[in-house]
Amino acid sequence: MGADRFVLDWSKVVSYFDALQKSSDRIRVQELGKSTEGRPFLAVTIAAPATLRQLDRYREIQRRLADPRLTAEKEAQSLAAAGKAVVLITCSIHATELASTQTAVEFAYRLLTEDNPRFRAILDDTIFLLVPSLNPDGVDIVTSWYRRTLGTPFEGTSPPELYQKYTGHDNNRDWYMFTQKETQLTIAKLHNVWHPQIVYDVHQVGANAARIFVPPWMDPIEPNIDAIVMQESNMIGTAMATDLTAAGHKGVAIHAMYDFWSPSRHYQAFHGGMRILTESASAKLATPNTVEPSQLERNALGYSAQERSWNFLEPWPGGVWRLRDIVEDQLIAMESCLYQAALHREELLRNFYKIGQRQIARKSPWGFVVAASQRDPGATRKLLDTLAFGQVEISHDPAGNHVIPMAQPYGGWAKALLERQRYPDMRLYPGGPPQRPYDVTAHTLPLLMGVQVDAVESPVSGLSPGMLPPAPRATLQAANSDTWVNVNRIWDDGGTVWRDPASGDFANMARPGWQQLERPRIGLYRSFIPNNDEGWTRWILEQFGFRYTSVLNSDLQAGDLTKRFDVIVFPDATAASMENGFRPDAMPAEFTGGIGIAGANTLRDFAAAGGTLVFLNRASDYAIRRLGVAARNTVGEVSNSEFYSPGSLLNCRVDIRHPLARGLPPQLAIWSELSPAWETQESAPVHYLDDHVLASGWLLGPKYVAGKAALIDASLGKGHVILFGMRPQYRAQSYLTLKLFFNALIYRTASRT
Ligand SMILES: [Zn+2]
């Protein structure tokens, strides 16, 4: 494993684990289900044979320790004495970070075949759950690209496509919304069944960083995560760093780079378990890479890769770095993590129970109430389902309101997702520029989804357990109500909806006097530069029954799109990347280049002839530069120190008479992330509020956006160019602003009816 220029096919990983299972009584291999593109999704269990024979018993111990309402203190002590520490190690969710799948193969083999005191402790005192890849499709995407480019100038580059069909690198930003199959399988069949005390997720970072990062994490720590969880991850992380150093490995960093804010990356931290992360410096996929000492990062967050410091005690001097070096670091890290779990087995289990006790003792707020009557019953149902999938217990009161008391094992999880975030004002140095959050700063589902949820301080009485409301069947979009997302699929198989010419309401069944509305013919721009936002857009379109065709640069350059499409959508990307694509020296010729001048002309002709062009977030800049939309981005030239909105929810007012705003409330929160805000004379149905702009997350310099436009509807010839100063379909979470996006998609077909 880890040999130069050697990559693995997923089928080989599957058959190898199958062979291990046939040859050893220390391992069980299970296919949990299929990946997005139909590959087997594996979970491997490794433990002493006596443990494997009683897995049901140990699962029951975990279940009882996880919920102190089931288990008295005294019983918990004896369960902790009898139980095993459960450790889940997950590999290669980011498929270009390919080492850990190979490490998983070698480490499993060694655990089954070697006899030494540390391995004996691991087998006897832990239950080791191993996911050799959280993204089996990606293994094959990267493997086939690597082989294709081997021996060419492009050997070791990343593939010019997303390595998970819909989410790409955002597949590890899905751990509270649970949209993708891989996330769902892992949560439902491993986390929620096994309640692991440790989840170690194995990653890689760029070529010039520390050789390996291990926790402690950096600030900020999400406020609903129990301090015991964090203290334990400090303990396990520093022990792993010690083992790596004692084994002679250089370049080990702790307490650097990675914060612990967004729950999109760490479900378990709100479910009684710690998240261990390692990030190893990368080679060029499986090709060795030479790093000059001067190339090592000097200004990384929290350390310099060139200098000794308390959290980076032995710098790596530079030189050749190969896949095998990464595998060897990871072998030690995996062994160390499991050995620490074995050493601390009983305390980890006792603390696990204690964390549950502390959750149940939560006093303020008493709970949250989701009113029975909502503008958007469909989004409400989706929100409740999402919480329930994360093991939140939802009751209802005699009036049918949904009630979520905090006194439950995962009350903190519910609270994190239901309350508004107050991200701390983090600066690189006092008075200096903002310290970039590792991901984004807001995760308030009620604002994203447009659901009314209220925190209450006094107990709600007369509660009955369980019972979610049935999924709404109605498919009406009333002009002044919020029911667009009432349905799973807006378009029936015939691709027709009906519209009331008087009120503007839509329905997916014929009604007297209503007119048919055709399904819009959607083109979705796809660059060869992999774009997560493009993938999320495909996902959303498919979920709601829209049909689309991917539009490549060659389609734009060929011209005459009027016959094929009513609307063309450009996902969030910089104007420069859209115009130029990959540079000629970066990729094989067929993947280079961008929209170019011919493409810009095609787009202008398309709109002039009556088509709709939709630009999402930063892509709007392209429409201003190349299609002549008259708008000035008021934050375009402003420095981070003055204006900063790194993934936050910001308050806007809506002109609900405008056709793009049909079905929306007069005020809403939009997803702002590197987003423009405009001064314009064009029609603009959404504007930022004049004050109280921040709804959730972090915002510097609200005055730069206050009162400015966040959505523009510009005319071009007979058509429209629509600019979204937001991500209206953000990671398949922002159900409220999806309506703005859908209204843009049907703009042309609705006006033609
Ligand atoms: Zn990664």
Side-chain angles (χ1 to χ4, degrees):
M1 290 298 118
D4 289 352
R5 297 183 172 81
F6 171 78
V7 288
L8 274 174
D9 298 290
W10 182 243
S11 61
K12 284 288 195 309
V13 178
V14 173
S15 61
Y16 188 78
F17 276 103
D18 192 46
L20 287 182
Q21 171 165 243
K22 288 186 177 125
S23 64
S24 170
D25 56 0
R26 297 176 179 180
I27 183 170
R28 298 263 172 91
V29 181
Q30 195 192 353
E31 181 183 321
L32 298 184
K34 299 290 188 203
S35 68
T36 297
E37 298 188 77
R39 289 178 179 81
F41 189 92
L42 293 193
V44 176
T45 310
I46 296 175
T51 307
L52 287 182
R53 283 193 295 272
Q54 299 184 73
L55 286 180
D56 289 346
R57 175 180 171 229
Y58 292 107
R59 252 193 312 261
E60 178 62 12
I61 290 174
Q62 291 290 104
R63 189 180 78 86
R64 297 192 70 87
L65 288 173
D67 190 347
R69 298 168 306 177
L70 303 174
T71 312
E73 178 103 34
K74 202 163 169 212
E75 190 193 356
Q77 301 311 322
S78 57
L79 290 174
K84 309 287 183 193
V86 177
V87 180
L88 167 61
I89 299 185
T90 55
C91 301
S92 297
I93 188 170
H94 296 148
T96 48
E97 303 164 15
L98 75 182
S100 60
T101 298
Q102 298 199 18
T103 308
V105 167
E106 180 167 328
F107 186 56
Y109 172 77
R110 287 183 50 198
L111 271 177
L112 304 187
T113 56
E114 286 179 23
D115 185 34
N116 65 54
R118 283 167 76 109
F119 280 14
R120 243 175 278 140
I122 289 169
L123 291 166
D124 287 344
D125 289 324
T126 74
I127 293 173
F128 171 29
L129 308 170
L130 172 64
V131 176
S133 171
L134 277 173
N135 177 14
D137 300 336
V139 171
D140 285 344
I141 290 169
V142 171
T143 287
S144 72
W145 175 254
Y146 185 76
R147 288 188 187 136
R148 176 178 169 175
T149 50
L150 201 59
T152 76
F154 310 107
E155 176 178 324
T157 57
S158 294
E161 63 178 302
L162 294 177
Y163 51 60
Q164 195 274 358
K165 185 175 178 185
Y166 298 107
T167 60
H169 188 274
D170 268 0
N171 58 354
N172 83 328
R173 305 294 196 270
D174 192 38
W175 297 84
Y176 63 82
M177 203 64 189
F178 320 118
T179 66
Q180 300 299 304
K181 280 189 179 167
E182 294 81 7
T183 324
Q184 292 169 357
L185 289 171
T186 309
I187 294 293
K189 299 196 172 180
L190 293 174
H191 283 263
N192 290 353
V193 173
W194 277 107
H195 310 284
Q197 276 75 42
I198 301 179
V199 181
Y200 166 19
D201 195 29
V202 193
H203 284 254
Q204 290 170 227
V205 65
N208 301 328
R211 295 302 92 185
I212 188 167
F213 160 84
V214 194
W217 299 88
M218 294 188 89
D219 280 329
I221 312 294
E222 216 281 349
N224 296 292
I225 299 171
D226 196 288
I228 296 174
V229 169
M230 299 316 300
Q231 298 287 22
E232 287 181 339
S233 70
N234 294 346
M235 172 181 82
I236 300 288
T238 47
M240 289 168 66
T242 307
D243 279 348
L244 283 157
T245 304
H249 291 228
K250 309 289 189 228
V252 179
I254 61 172
H255 192 257
M257 302 288 292
Y258 303 96
D259 66 43
F260 214 58
W261 186 259
S262 174
S264 64
R265 288 159 60 234
H266 41 256
Y267 178 83
Q268 65 278 7
F270 298 83
H271 290 78
M274 71 196 91
R275 180 184 192 221
I276 298 295
L277 167 76
T278 61
E279 293 269 3
S280 293
S282 295
K284 292 178 172 169
L285 297 178
T287 301
N289 182 36
T290 302
V291 182
E292 300 299 332
S294 62
Q295 290 178 297
L296 289 162
E297 283 177 28
R298 293 177 58 194
N299 294 312
L301 208 53
Y303 78 110
S304 158
Q306 297 189 8
E307 280 175 48
R308 178 180 167 113
S309 59
W310 80 269
N311 57 339
F312 188 64
L313 286 158
E314 287 188 318
W316 180 69
V320 179
W321 186 249
R322 10 173 63 94
L323 185 59
R324 182 66 204 177
D325 294 317
I326 306 170
V327 169
E328 286 184 2
D329 271 355
Q330 290 175 346
L331 284 167
I332 292 169
M334 286 187 189
E335 176 189 314
S336 176
C337 179
L338 282 155
Y339 182 60
Q340 295 305 320
L343 282 181
H344 296 282
R345 179 191 63 81
E346 194 168 340
E347 296 108 276
L348 289 178
L349 294 180
R350 264 196 229 124
N351 285 344
F352 180 63
Y353 176 78
K354 205 167 278 174
I355 292 162
Q357 283 182 312
R358 285 154 61 119
Q359 289 286 318
I360 285 166
R362 276 178 182 278
K363 291 263 180 339
S364 182
W366 177 86
F368 289 85
V369 175
V370 184
S373 167
Q374 297 274 348
R375 289 177 65 89
D376 188 340
T380 305
R381 167 64 193 245
K382 179 77 184 172
L383 182 147
L384 293 169
D385 276 346
T386 302
L387 292 173
F389 194 81
Q391 300 202 307
V392 173
E393 295 168 9
I394 302 166
S395 308
H396 62 267
D397 70 8
N401 301 309
H402 312 287
V403 180
I404 302 163
M406 287 296 93
Q408 55 173 300
Y410 312 121
W413 173 246
K415 181 167 171 284
L417 296 176
L418 294 174
E419 71 186 0
R420 294 176 187 234
Q421 279 69 55
R422 284 195 208 114
Y423 194 87
D425 188 27
M426 309 270 299
R427 305 296 179 128
L428 287 175
Y429 47 86
Q435 179 179 312
R436 185 179 85 83
Y438 187 70
D439 189 41
V440 296
T441 66
H443 39 267
T444 312
L445 288 181
L447 293 176
L448 283 159
M449 301 180 81
V451 178
Q452 182 64 40
V453 181
D454 299 299
V456 291
E457 291 296 342
S458 39
V460 177
S461 55
L463 291 183
S464 334
M467 281 265 292
L468 290 172
R473 308 292 294 182
T475 56
L476 191 71
Q477 185 211 14
N480 289 309
S481 75
D482 197 18
T483 47
W484 237 144
V485 194
N486 238 356
V487 279
N488 294 322
R489 301 178 74 78
I490 292 167
W491 306 91
D492 62 17
D493 289 338
T496 310
V497 298
W498 280 263
R499 184 175 190 240
D500 178 356
S503 68
D505 288 355
F506 291 95
N508 74 345
M509 62 200 87
R511 286 163 185 258
W514 286 32
Q515 295 169 335
Q516 270 195 15
L517 178 70
E518 293 161 46
R519 191 201 299 261
R521 298 169 303 159
I522 300 170
L524 178 62
Y525 177 66
R526 208 189 90 201
S527 163
F528 287 113
I529 300 176
N531 181 342
N532 301 335
D533 198 58
E534 183 267 342
W536 283 117
T537 310
R538 276 188 282 114
W539 170 257
I540 278 293
L541 292 177
E542 290 177 22
Q543 294 312 296
F544 284 88
F546 288 94
R547 287 188 190 152
Y548 63 86
T549 306
S550 288
V551 174
L552 307 179
N553 293 323
S554 54
D555 295 302
L556 295 179
Q557 279 136 20
D560 198 17
L561 298 174
T562 314
K563 284 186 193 139
R564 296 173 62 194
F565 301 113
D566 297 305
V567 51
I568 301 175
V569 178
F570 293 82
D572 180 26
T574 63
S577 76
M578 292 162 68
E579 273 178 343
N580 305 320
F582 278 120
R583 300 283 176 184
D585 60 348
M587 276 280 145
E590 69 253 52
F591 302 110
T592 59
I595 295 173
I597 294 181
N601 291 336
T602 303
L603 293 173
R604 218 172 289 119
D605 293 346
F606 173 78
T612 308
L613 295 173
V614 177
F615 293 88
L616 304 183
N617 210 39
R618 290 172 301 166
S620 302
D621 194 31
Y622 180 88
I624 293 172
R625 287 204 215 172
R626 297 294 165 209
L627 303 176
V629 173
R632 189 181 78 84
N633 178 5
T634 59
V635 297
E637 307 292 320
V638 181
S639 76
N640 270 355
S641 307
E642 309 259 328
F643 175 79
Y644 198 49
S645 179
S648 306
L649 284 157
L650 303 186
N651 287 317
C652 286
R653 60 187 148 85
V654 180
D655 173 5
I656 56 173
R657 293 159 307 175
H658 193 283
L660 287 178
R662 184 162 277 150
L664 283 135
Q667 191 179 316
L668 48 68
I670 63 169
W671 186 260
S672 156
E673 185 178 356
L674 303 169
S675 301
W678 298 292
E679 283 170 350
T680 183
Q681 301 299 318
E682 301 281 0
S683 171
V686 177
H687 286 86
Y688 286 95
L689 294 190
D690 294 320
D691 45 28
H692 298 104
V693 174
L694 179 63
S696 185
W698 191 22
L699 175 65
L700 298 181
K703 68 176 180 186
Y704 289 97
V705 297
K708 303 293 188 290
L711 176 63
I712 291 177
D713 171 17
S715 297
L716 200 165
K718 292 186 202 159
H720 291 262
V721 184
I722 298 171
L723 278 58
F724 279 86
M726 66 187 89
R727 294 177 64 185
Q729 72 328 4
Y730 166 70
R731 290 179 180 163
Q733 297 176 20
S734 52
Y735 273 58
L736 181 51
T737 53
L738 275 184
K739 300 172 183 70
L740 289 170
F741 180 51
F742 291 169
N743 285 337
L745 298 179
I746 62 164
Y747 207 16
R748 186 183 193 201
T749 42
S751 63
R752 205 158 53 194
T753 305

